[in-house]
Amino acid sequence: MRPHSSTLLLALLAAVGPVVGAASSAADASSSPAADAAASDVVVLTAETFKSFVDAEPLSLIEFYAPLAPEYEVAATTLKPSNVKLAKVDCMAEQEICNEQDVRGFPTLKVFRKGAVAEYKGTRKADGIIGYMKKQSLPALSELKAAEVEGFKTSDKVVVIGYFSDKISKKFKAFEEVANALRDDYVFGFTNDKIEGVKAPAVVLYKTFDEGIETFGGKFTFENLTDFVRVAATPLMDDIGPENYQSYMQSGRPLAYLFFKGEEQRKTFGAAVEPVAKSAKGKVSFVYIDAARFGGHASNLNLKENAWPAFAIQEPVQMLKYPFDQEKDITTEAIQVFVDAYLAGELEPSLKSQAVPETNEEPVKVVVGTTFNEIVMDKTKDVFLEIYAPWCGHCKKLAPVWEQLAKLSEKFNDSVTIAKMDGTENDLPIGVNFQIPGFPTLKLFKAGTNEIVDFDGDRTLEDLLEFLKENA
């Protein structure tokens, strides 16, 4: 493998927590960036050093921090021999830098290459930072000599190697395109040398889990190769948590959860479910989820909490849920039948819904899961819907304003319905193609077409009325 001499910099932009008192202020003042840097492999940046630093480094990651846990220090020390530099900016002290870099939350991490900035897309655990930045320090596709292939196979958790006789064939070009597209996620290499036991052209994925190796067997196209890498790089059954949840959601594949409580349940029911996961590989992703830590997610899948083990399938694109009957035993046979029925389109998704109100005569109409289509998708009216959560402070503040809006609408324009739905207790029905990013979510469904117009202004009565005037 050709050596890569460029320096890599990861920068962390962060906001320091509130000052507790004069004593802590004095203590903070006595700690200078230079003193901090002396004890750390993370470079501390200030207004005086930021620009010259990021402009000089070929590749860097900067944390805009609040401050981040020791994970960042561990990553900085591990990456130091690779000439990959990690740095941080205290956004409380260096507000100008953080404003210039459009830092809106903490911690924020950004990758810099000779001053050019890109968003950091890895996890915030030390091993995730290390793996991501090592990938960034390599070319998208590393050229290997025969003697380098064996060592390269174990250079990361997942490594993809292409074996080709040249660099000009359509098959090689398809592989090169995939490597460029997925460089943030996986390490790619290729060799034109003859390797014993491998017949070119071939693409082989090496991994530190499951069976350890998978060989591509389809037609060499960008789509086929991309799908192969993503599927083969996904563990048969991994533990899901905050660090990998989004990657599963973004894959677009259905996700099957096995909730367990304690290692005994994990071992026993994992052994029952894993054969099904193997049979559905590439069609459904399977994960373990620790009920002791994430049991609350069961209600999002329309499962009862505190009834473990439990199993459910979720479609991330339409957010459809298919809970397995918790009165039944989780066995290989039962889960196989359930998954096969799901794949065959024979299962009806579960729709969580509160009871339909006995009366709905108040100015703000109450919507539940089973009445969503009837009320919100009524094409004879414009419907302005608030999706709220009972615990949401912003929702509580909006409630009297929403009530006022409904009374005015009822008085002056009976073609507009003002409605609300508890987003924690009611699902969106099939065919409603939007997701709820947070609470409150305000959407206008236009009469005649059901076109959705998002409200993103100030939640004042004046702004809400102006929005209806312009759009309803």
Side-chain angles (χ1 to χ4, degrees):
M1 182 175 60
R2 291 196 304 263
H4 194 268
S5 59
S6 64
T7 304
L8 177 64
L9 170 66
L10 168 62
L12 167 68
L13 308 183
V16 174
V19 176
V20 177
S24 57
S25 297
D28 291 343
S30 67
S31 176
S32 68
D36 291 342
S40 170
D41 289 314
V42 176
V43 181
V44 179
L45 301 178
T46 65
E48 289 73 30
T49 60
F50 183 86
K51 191 175 188 307
S52 61
F53 186 83
V54 298
D55 285 349
E57 297 299 331
L59 184 58
S60 58
L61 180 63
I62 300 185
E63 174 196 15
F64 299 79
Y65 68 99
L68 198 62
E71 302 288 340
Y72 204 63
E73 294 286 350
V74 173
T77 301
T78 304
L79 290 168
K80 189 176 181 181
S82 303
N83 203 23
V84 176
K85 293 183 180 178
L86 273 63
K88 62 184 179 181
V89 175
D90 179 346
C91 283
M92 195 63 109
E94 306 294 342
Q95 293 183 19
E96 186 176 345
I97 294 176
C98 296
N99 289 336
E100 287 175 355
Q101 296 300 321
D102 195 28
V103 177
R104 300 183 180 183
F106 306 105
T108 292
L109 293 98
K110 300 193 177 201
V111 178
F112 288 80
R113 295 175 186 271
K114 286 286 187 180
V117 63
E119 293 302 317
Y120 171 79
K121 298 177 182 177
T123 68
R124 294 177 183 179
K125 293 289 187 180
D127 58 351
I129 294 172
I130 293 162
Y132 186 87
M133 295 309 289
K134 278 187 175 180
K135 295 179 186 72
Q136 294 296 311
S137 69
L138 293 170
L141 187 56
S142 298
E143 185 171 1
L144 309 170
K145 297 299 182 185
E148 298 172 315
V149 170
E150 202 60 36
F152 193 78
K153 290 178 184 179
T154 58
S155 59
D156 203 16
K157 187 177 180 181
V158 173
V159 175
V160 188
I161 300 180
Y163 300 87
F164 297 91
S165 57
D166 59 57
K167 303 177 192 175
I168 59 174
S169 67
K170 289 183 178 179
K171 292 180 178 180
F172 175 80
K173 293 299 182 184
F175 179 70
E176 185 178 41
E177 187 180 0
V178 172
N180 281 309
L182 302 183
R183 67 167 299 162
D184 287 350
D185 303 318
Y186 311 109
V187 171
F188 287 84
F190 79 96
T191 184
N192 293 141
D193 293 350
K194 289 184 178 180
I195 305 297
E196 186 177 352
V198 181
K199 184 179 179 181
V203 172
V204 183
L205 184 143
Y206 303 92
K207 49 191 174 181
T208 60
F209 50 88
D210 295 344
E211 62 273 38
I213 182 172
E214 289 195 41
T215 302
F216 177 68
K219 186 178 179 181
F220 279 71
T221 65
F222 174 81
E223 293 76 13
N224 289 347
L225 284 165
T226 299
D227 191 54
F228 162 74
V229 171
R230 290 203 181 279
V231 171
T234 302
L236 184 64
M237 283 191 72
D238 200 2
D239 288 280
I240 195 167
E243 68 281 353
N244 60 359
Y245 176 79
Q246 282 304 322
S247 65
Y248 277 106
M249 290 293 101
Q250 291 164 6
S251 75
R253 282 193 298 276
L255 184 58
Y257 298 84
L258 174 62
F259 286 83
F260 69 92
K261 189 171 184 180
E263 281 306 306
E264 186 176 342
Q265 279 196 2
R266 189 186 196 280
K267 183 177 180 180
T268 301
F269 296 101
V273 172
E274 283 193 8
V276 185
K278 200 166 188 176
S279 72
K281 189 174 175 66
K283 301 173 186 175
V284 179
S285 299
F286 283 68
V287 293
Y288 292 100
I289 181 165
D290 186 350
R293 298 177 63 201
F294 308 116
H297 188 55
S299 64
N300 296 330
L301 302 169
N302 299 349
L303 289 166
K304 292 181 292 185
E305 293 184 49
N306 301 313
W308 319 120
F311 184 84
I313 299 173
Q314 178 184 22
E315 275 187 22
V317 177
Q318 297 189 60
M319 298 306 288
L320 302 180
K321 305 145 186 192
Y322 301 83
F324 181 73
D325 188 347
Q326 287 174 276
E327 299 300 317
K328 295 182 178 179
D329 292 334
I330 292 179
T331 65
T332 302
E333 295 73 19
I335 297 300
Q336 187 71 67
V337 168
F338 183 77
V339 172
D340 287 347
Y342 165 76
L343 291 172
E346 297 169 358
L347 294 184
E348 286 293 323
S350 170
L351 180 70
K352 181 163 64 173
S353 177
Q354 292 175 302
V356 178
E358 291 185 10
T359 61
N360 207 0
E361 302 301 324
E362 295 299 317
V364 178
K365 304 307 175 189
V366 175
V367 177
V368 298
T370 53
T371 63
F372 187 96
N373 285 332
E374 175 190 345
I375 298 175
V376 178
M377 309 304 282
D378 179 2
K379 290 188 177 182
T380 67
K381 292 188 174 184
D382 291 300
V383 180
F384 199 10
L385 175 68
E386 175 202 6
I387 303 174
Y388 71 95
W391 43 259
C392 165
H394 293 297
C395 302
K396 292 174 182 177
K397 185 177 179 181
L398 176 63
V401 178
W402 202 246
E403 184 79 19
Q404 214 176 342
L405 179 69
K407 288 177 179 177
L408 287 171
S409 177
E410 210 172 45
K411 185 176 180 180
F412 296 108
N413 190 351
D414 61 3
S415 66
V416 177
T417 297
I418 307 300
K420 65 179 181 180
M421 183 178 83
D422 183 346
T424 67
E425 293 294 335
N426 299 280
D427 287 338
L428 298 172
I430 299 173
V432 178
N433 295 318
F434 70 84
Q435 295 187 12
I436 303 167
F439 302 111
T441 290
L442 306 180
K443 291 181 180 287
L444 174 69
F445 296 76
K446 299 188 76 168
T449 62
N450 287 146
E451 176 193 350
I452 300 173
V453 183
D454 291 327
F455 177 84
D456 57 5
D458 292 333
R459 292 187 285 268
T460 62
L461 182 61
E462 293 75 14
D463 277 19
L464 292 166
L465 284 168
E466 186 63 28
F467 174 79
L468 288 178
K469 183 180 177 181
E470 291 178 3
N471 296 285

